[in-house]
Amino acid sequence: MSNSVVTMDKIVNLCKRRGFVFQSSEIYGGLISCYDYGPLGVELKRNVKEAWWRDTVSSRADIVGLDCSILMHPKVWEASGHLTNFSDPMVDCKLCKGRFRADQLEQARCPKKPSKRPGECEGELTEARAFNLMFKTHMGPVEDTAAAVYLRPETAQGIFVNFSNVVNTSRNKPPFGIAQIGKSFRNEITPGNFLFRTREFEQMELEYFVKPGEDDAWYEYWQQRRLQWYLDYGIDPAKLTLRAHDEDELAHYAKGCCDVEYEFPIGWQELEGIANRTDFDLKQHIEHSGKDLSFFDEQDKERYVPYVIEPSAGADRATLAFLVDAYDEDGPENDRRTVLRLHPSLAPIKVAVFPLMRKGGLPEKAQELIALLGSRVAVDYDQSGSIGRRYRRQDEAGTPLGVTVDYQTLEDETVTLRDRDTMEQERVAISELLDVVVEKTAPPPPYPKLSPGG
Ligand code: ATP
């Protein structure tokens, strides 16, 4: 096996060539920083979200899910501080009129050709000013300020404003969590680097409510658990790290914040943030809504506003990280193959079925296997081209297993099962095939500890 150098260009290329990701509105010249997930991409991203949901919600009795609307009452954003504070510092170049994030000038490039770093050309930069990242629109037929609403810039606020609804209906008490996966929108000053920074993206967020005083232990717990999730799904440990924020990076309400960082081809970057948000959000909503969002502990006869630990991940950024990490080229120079070594449970297709020949009853037998395997896992069928080429096509798609139906199959009811990573083949009885495939493509077991104590 030879580990090749992975560049963002190779990933973008593969994504387009094989139908993982397309530029949005491509036939009209494309819309910058917006992408569409193609047939393979939609499966991969669904599997990433499913893996998160399984680990965060389904496998635990103390966490429930929510699916809130994207448009919310404008007062939510007043209370949360987004209307006044959710901004990035922006500078303009007086010459090319380009607009850049003042804290990311290192990575920025001027729109003029030849492209330079802002400030390195003859153009003078303006003073930095705050640019609010929320998308504003109007609700209803009248376009006036009274009808202004915002596309949510994070999913978390939907969880906070539903805190009492969930407590009253699910009968959970701290420590417990509410999780949500959904679209968020940020009018980023400089989007870019493919799926890494877009203006429309999906978040996977958990708000975990705890009794004040128990927050430090839970903050530590969620850092370890979230880091381990990426490792369990195959991310190279050498490319993953936890980085605690310096004091001056911390949001004013946060007691602690830590990023899971991954070494993308563009360098070390945030994949997920884990923050101790204290009781800030619930208290803000108590103040602005006039509603009591505190929790009364019947057992201890004690009332308090819970503290919140928030692991907040990006589904698109995670999908990109899994793609980058899985990408490999191996084999001798004259016979290179591109292979996506995705964790089998994340792979868009789990097993592809190939009839060796397009005749002699082999396609019909292969279709029988499609029906058998398709009842439990995502399948694909391919009968065109040499068997070697068909294997290569599936390697590029990340398909972990290939089943070949040959003449021996018709005689003894066995097939060849090929492994994507080792390229080794074994003979398997059809009567055992479904179990073998399900077992080989199963997700890893969930994190063993349910709480800081064990
Ligand atoms: P950054 O510093 O990269 O702008 P952030 O600290 O503002 O990110 P959070 O508000 O913590 O990000 O959002 C949580 C997660 O949502 C991020 O870790 C990332 O995975 C994802 N995310 C945030 N902004 C974007 C974006 N513009 N495009 C894609 N994913 C994003």
Side-chain angles (χ1 to χ4, degrees), residues 231-247:
L231 296 172
D232 288 347
Y233 282 90
I235 295 282
D236 179 356
K239 294 193 163 187
L240 202 65
T241 193
L242 275 175
R243 187 185 69 82
H245 281 204
D246 295 331
E247 276 297 313

Side-chain angles (χ1 to χ4, degrees), residues 320-363:
L320 179 63
F322 284 117
L323 273 169
V324 166
D325 211 72
Y327 186 95
D328 197 11
E329 291 164 1
D330 70 6
E333 210 51 58
N334 59 354
D335 191 23
R336 289 298 263 179
R337 72 164 181 157
T338 301
V339 52
L340 280 186
R341 301 184 191 280
L342 290 167
H343 188 283
S345 67
L346 295 183
I349 302 162
K350 305 294 184 243
V351 58
V353 181
F354 316 110
L356 188 64
M357 310 289 273
R358 273 201 240 182
K359 56 184 183 190
L362 300 185

Side-chain angles (χ1 to χ4, degrees), residues 15 59 61 110 112 167 177 183 198 217 266 353 369 373 376-377 381 429:
C15 283
S59 66
C110 146
K112 276 210 162 156
V167 169
K183 286 256 168 144
T198 51
I266 49 171
V353 181
L369 296 185
L373 299 167
R376 296 282 297 280
V377 297
Y381 176 81

Side-chain angles (χ1 to χ4, degrees), residues 157 160 163 176 206-216 218-219 250-257 274-286 293 304-311:
Q157 297 304 324
F160 295 128
F163 175 76
F176 86 102
L206 166 67
E207 307 305 321
Y208 199 78
F209 301 94
V210 302
K211 192 172 172 178
E214 294 175 3
D215 51 309
D216 289 339
W218 279 104
Y219 173 52
L250 281 184
H252 62 97
Y253 52 80
K255 188 170 158 189
C257 188
I274 298 135
N276 180 344
R277 296 180 71 112
T278 68
D279 54 7
F280 174 79
D281 303 274
L282 287 178
K283 279 200 168 152
Q284 287 294 107
H285 288 301
I286 291 170
L293 303 179
Y304 59 86
V305 178
Y307 267 40
V308 175
I309 310 301
E310 175 193 75

Side-chain angles (χ1 to χ4, degrees), residues 385-406:
S386 72
I387 193 75
R389 288 188 59 161
R390 284 183 264 169
Y391 285 153
R392 294 296 161 94
R393 277 203 287 268
Q394 294 296 334
D395 289 343
E396 265 193 348
T399 309
L401 298 169
V403 166
T404 306
V405 174
D406 53 22

Side-chain angles (χ1 to χ4, degrees), residues 184-257:
S184 291
F185 302 81
R186 295 181 189 178
N187 199 4
E188 299 275 3
I189 298 165
T190 28
N193 292 312
F194 195 37
L195 302 175
F196 182 81
R197 188 179 301 285
T198 51
R199 292 185 169 125
E200 172 181 343
F201 54 96
E202 255 181 303
Q203 288 187 307
M204 309 187 288
E205 294 197 296
L206 166 67
E207 307 305 321
Y208 199 78
F209 301 94
V210 302
K211 192 172 172 178
E214 294 175 3
D215 51 309
D216 289 339
W218 279 104
Y219 173 52
E220 182 61 32
Y221 169 85
W222 281 109
Q223 287 176 46
Q224 296 310 322
R225 182 169 180 133
R226 292 302 306 144
L227 183 74
Q228 192 59 42
W229 182 80
Y230 293 98
L231 296 172
D232 288 347
Y233 282 90
I235 295 282
D236 179 356
K239 294 193 163 187
L240 202 65
T241 193
L242 275 175
R243 187 185 69 82
H245 281 204
D246 295 331
E247 276 297 313
D248 58 353
E249 277 178 273
L250 281 184
H252 62 97
Y253 52 80
K255 188 170 158 189
C257 188

